[in-house]
Amino acid sequence: MRHAAGRGAVVLLIVIAGGSWWRSPSRAEVSEDCLACHGDASLTVGRQGRAVSLRVDAAALAGGAHAGLACADCHAGFRAEDLPHAKTIRPVDCRSCHSDPGPAHAFHAAMARATGTDGAPGTSCRGCHGTHAIASPKTPG
C-alpha cells in the first residue's frame, strides 16, 4: 500500500514539474495557429475564376463577440492539421449554439419569407452579422 501511494506522488510530481507537455493547447494557441496563415492578406483561393481572400482580421476577431472562442468552436468538424485543407469546407452553422435567436429576428424572418429567400442559398446569419467581427447584441449600434 505504501508503494502505491509513493508511485502516485511521483506521478503527481512529474505532472507538476513537466510543464505543459501534457495539456491540450489553449483556445488562443489554436487560433494563433490558424491566424499564422489566415492573418496573411495575400492568402487567397480561386473560385469561379477569381481570387477570394481567406484572410481573417485578427484585431476584428479579437474585438468581436466570439473573441473567447477557438476557430474550431465555430468551424466544427474541421481538421486544421490536414494541409492543404479540404477542397470543400463545411459552412459554419451558427444555430449549433444559437438555436433560438429570439424575437429580434422576427422581422428579418418575415422579410425573408415575403421575398422568397427563407432558407434559400445566400440567406444566412453572416449576411447581416458578418463572419469574424460579429458585434455583441449588447453593443449599441
Side-chain angles (χ1 to χ4, degrees):
M1 188 163 243
R2 185 172 183 208
H3 182 69
R7 189 176 320 158
V10 169
V11 169
L12 180 60
L13 182 60
I14 291 171
V15 169
I16 292 170
S20 62
W21 64 268
W22 59 275
R23 294 184 312 208
S24 62
S26 72
R27 292 182 187 281
E29 289 169 337
V30 172
S31 293
E32 285 175 12
D33 289 346
C34 296
L35 290 170
C37 293
H38 288 277
D40 182 354
S42 68
L43 183 65
T44 61
V45 66
R47 289 193 186 135
Q48 299 177 342
R50 62 186 182 94
V52 176
S53 176
L54 296 177
R55 179 179 181 261
V56 174
D57 182 337
L61 181 63
H66 297 131
L69 300 176
C71 299
D73 289 337
C74 295
H75 295 275
F78 184 71
R79 296 180 47 87
E81 65 276 6
D82 291 347
L83 293 172
H85 298 313
K87 193 167 191 167
T88 303
I89 306 296
R90 184 179 348 149
V92 169
D93 182 4
C94 300
R95 294 172 298 174
S96 65
C97 291
H98 303 282
S99 59
D100 181 13
H105 290 85
F107 171 77
H108 299 292
M111 289 300 294
R113 282 191 299 278
T115 59
T117 58
D118 192 17
T123 302
S124 66
C125 301
R126 71 175 182 206
C128 293
H129 297 281
T131 54
H132 298 106
I134 297 171
S136 168
K138 296 174 186 170
T139 303

